[in-house]
Amino acid sequence: MTSASQERDKWGSKVGFILAAAGSAIGLGNIWRFPYVTGQNGGAAFVLLYIIFVVVIGLPVMVAELTIGRTTERDTVGAFAKLAPKSLWTLVGMLGVATGVGILSYYAVIAGWTVGYFFKTLGGSFSHLMTAETSVNIFTHFVSNPAAAIGLLFVFILLTALVVMGGVSSGIERWAKILMPVLFVLLILLTLRSVTLPGAGKGLAFYLKPDFSKITIGAAGKALGQALFSLSLGMGAMITYGSYLSKKENLVIAGCYVAFFDTLIAIIAGLMTFPALFAMGLDPAGGPGLVFVVIPTIFAKMPGGDFFGAGFFLLLSVAALTSTISLLEVPVAYLVDEWKWTRKKAVLIMSALSFTLGIPSALSNGASSWLSKIPGIGTGFLDLANIVLGNYSLTLGALLISVFIGYKWGIKAAIAQNEKGGNTFYFKNVWAFLIRFVCPIAIMLIFVYIIWTKNYF
Ligand code: PFF
């Protein structure tokens, strides 16, 4: 992204922006998080909820964030300060900055696993993979190795820092343009193999035939969190990216492109995962290790499996990198814009902080038994961070952003900004209705329910 190299830069082109925003959106959230959260929350019915939330909450909040960013041309804290001077609304920006650093800290741990799996696959670790148990054992052994987990976390944060610092940035954009379609093709290949495995039918039914009794408010909360996480919403990443966007672009169209491709990739990732998972007799509610266990079993059953498998994990690492860039860009833009730090200093300090905060997550998958199952909570540190930051914090952020635009800054002002430069704001009345009523009410209902039932995890 062009923004990384200079302050207040503009995206080179509309395609450049859509690619960067899609790069932020498409990542581990689609391929790692979506399948396992779907598996834990009942399959097809959850997918349905997820799609509904992408359309009725995700898209409106995406347009809201991009509008705030483009109007103010500031980082997420500065944007609120500019639209509502001397008010507590800047705290929404602060929440976003803190959430960005927090998500980056554990996201980079998982991204490190994909790098590790690239090397493992290349080295032939999965060539003779026969059973699901073997795959589970390889995974468990790998993630519980503290040196590997911390080392790979370090490598990934370092790569992210190098890109955000500049220089390589335009290169990344160019590479992503070529590599993402290749990832898409590999995803399709793995899916074709997965759905033709003997016993795949059960997985397809789990994933595609909704059991409506699984639609609960608790599942809705998870589906909404997943939709926001996957679209990079609720923490100002799209405010920050929108701030580098030229006045000419049509935000509704850009938002629709990003949401469409993001959702498509997630849906295909599920289609790749569940048939193989059921064919191997694994538990769909297995948690964060799910795809790392399942995917090697698919390419173990493909001709040229090591090659395709290594390619897959390499490309997944690239997809993760275009997302970690946006996570780091949020705090960095804040420090550069508001504190007048140099980009270099901001990147160094924020990446060091994310690395340090990531260490407990890296150790919470077997290396430390305390961190792997925190007493009194019962989940591991990484899972906890993933729920608190990746779900609740983003959901709270989305609620506050919709209230801000609907009732503080105002729908009229937002629409006027979008129509500047002769742009048509498609479906503006629908958008206004969703952002003023549907988003805040739906999110508040979900929060009330979760607090009421104490169903936090
Ligand atoms: N959307 C990214 C993914 O699905 O992998 C994760 C993410 C990036 C979340 C940036 C939030 C964010 F601001």
Side-chain angles (χ1 to χ4, degrees):
M1 46 174 272
T2 27
S3 63
S5 46
Q6 289 154 19
E7 280 178 53
R8 291 296 121 223
D9 207 344
K10 286 271 188 298
W11 300 104
S13 62
K14 175 168 179 164
V15 179
F17 164 72
I18 289 179
L19 275 173
S24 165
I26 298 167
L28 296 171
N30 308 59
I31 292 166
W32 158 73
R33 201 177 193 269
F34 175 75
Y36 97 74
V37 179
T38 301
Q40 283 176 334
N41 289 283
F46 180 86
V47 178
L48 211 62
L49 285 173
Y50 172 77
I51 294 174
I52 292 171
F53 283 134
V54 166
V55 176
V56 302
I57 296 186
L59 255 177
V61 172
M62 168 95 67
V63 172
E65 284 202 27
L66 292 174
T67 306
I68 294 175
R70 182 169 67 178
T71 303
T72 56
E73 300 190 315
R74 296 270 286 275
D75 63 284
T76 170
V77 177
F80 285 100
K82 192 162 170 182
L83 295 176
K86 299 202 179 60
S87 74
L88 288 177
W89 285 102
T90 49
L91 289 178
V92 182
M94 302 277 188
L95 176 72
V97 169
T99 306
V101 176
I103 294 183
L104 177 59
S105 76
Y106 75 85
Y107 192 98
V109 172
I110 315 287
W113 295 354
T114 63
V115 175
Y117 260 56
F118 162 68
F119 287 111
K120 266 186 170 322
T121 317
L122 208 59
S125 291
F126 301 111
S127 307
H128 307 294
L129 187 65
M130 289 314 193
T131 63
E133 284 74 39
T134 328
S135 189
V136 171
N137 288 341
I138 292 175
F139 177 74
T140 318
H141 186 75
F142 172 65
V143 295
S144 60
N145 176 343
I150 294 178
L152 289 167
L153 164 68
F154 181 80
V155 167
F156 214 87
I157 298 263
L158 185 70
L159 283 174
T160 309
L162 286 175
V163 175
V164 176
M165 214 177 280
V168 218
S169 56
S170 54
I172 265 283
E173 212 176 297
R174 212 170 312 135
W175 277 105
K177 202 168 10 185
I178 306 164
L179 293 177
M180 287 307 105
V182 184
L183 174 65
F184 188 75
V185 171
L186 271 183
L187 209 54
I188 301 275
L189 275 181
L190 287 176
T191 303
L192 287 176
R193 178 66 273 221
S194 176
V195 296
T196 50
L197 288 171
K202 266 201 241 145
L204 283 174
F206 175 82
Y207 187 56
L208 299 175
K209 246 173 86 192
D211 167 358
F212 290 101
S213 68
K214 299 266 169 61
I215 297 195
T216 60
I217 303 184
K222 300 273 162 49
L224 174 61
Q226 176 59 28
L228 296 171
F229 184 90
S230 194
L231 294 169
S232 303
L233 297 173
M235 50 159 273
M238 291 297 157
I239 295 182
T240 309
Y241 271 26
S243 76
Y244 306 117
L245 194 56
S246 107
K247 302 282 181 216
K248 287 199 302 282
E249 304 316 340
N250 191 312
L251 299 184
V252 178
I253 294 180
C256 284
Y257 269 116
V258 174
F260 175 77
F261 284 112
D262 187 66
T263 309
L264 183 68
I265 303 261
I267 301 289
I268 296 176
L271 213 48
M272 164 188 78
T273 309
F274 290 107
L277 184 138
F278 277 82
M280 301 301 291
L282 288 159
D283 174 13
L290 208 66
V291 292
F292 288 94
V293 170
V294 174
I295 293 170
T297 68
I298 308 175
F299 53 73
K301 292 197 163 58
M302 277 169 83
D306 282 351
F307 172 75
F308 288 121
F312 180 82
F313 282 115
L314 181 66
L315 295 169
L316 186 53
S317 309
V318 176
L321 185 63
T322 53
S323 299
T324 52
I325 292 167
S326 69
L327 287 164
L328 184 59
E329 180 64 24
V330 170
V332 166
Y334 163 60
L335 293 167
V336 169
D337 279 359
E338 307 304 314
W339 293 41
K340 308 292 172 220
W341 283 17
T342 61
R343 181 162 273 273
K344 190 169 168 192
K345 178 175 167 192
V347 168
L348 279 177
I349 293 183
M350 286 302 109
S351 42
L353 181 64
S354 306
F355 168 68
T356 313
L357 293 173
I359 293 175
S361 287
L363 297 177
S364 70
N365 308 284
S368 147
S369 53
W370 193 89
L371 286 168
S372 305
K373 202 168 182 185
I374 302 173
I377 298 181
T379 53
F381 190 87
L382 191 152
D383 298 16
L384 188 66
N386 195 15
I387 290 171
V388 174
L389 301 163
N391 246 29
Y392 294 140
S393 195
L394 296 181
T395 309
L396 180 62
L399 169 67
L400 295 170
I401 288 167
S402 57
V403 171
F404 176 79
I405 240 186
Y407 302 94
K408 172 73 188 164
W409 185 35
I411 294 290
K412 278 213 184 86
I415 291 179
Q417 283 296 334
N418 263 320
E419 287 177 338
K420 256 193 184 166
N423 269 322
T424 315
F425 190 162
Y426 297 103
F427 302 110
K428 63 182 169 195
N429 295 328
V430 179
W431 175 78
F433 176 73
L434 292 172
I435 208 82
R436 289 197 81 186
F437 301 108
V438 177
C439 296
I441 293 172
I443 298 177
M444 275 191 288
L445 276 179
I446 287 172
F447 271 133
V448 167
Y449 171 85
I450 290 169
I451 294 167
W452 193 265
T453 57
K454 300 200 173 59
N455 201 346
Y456 301 117
F457 302 112

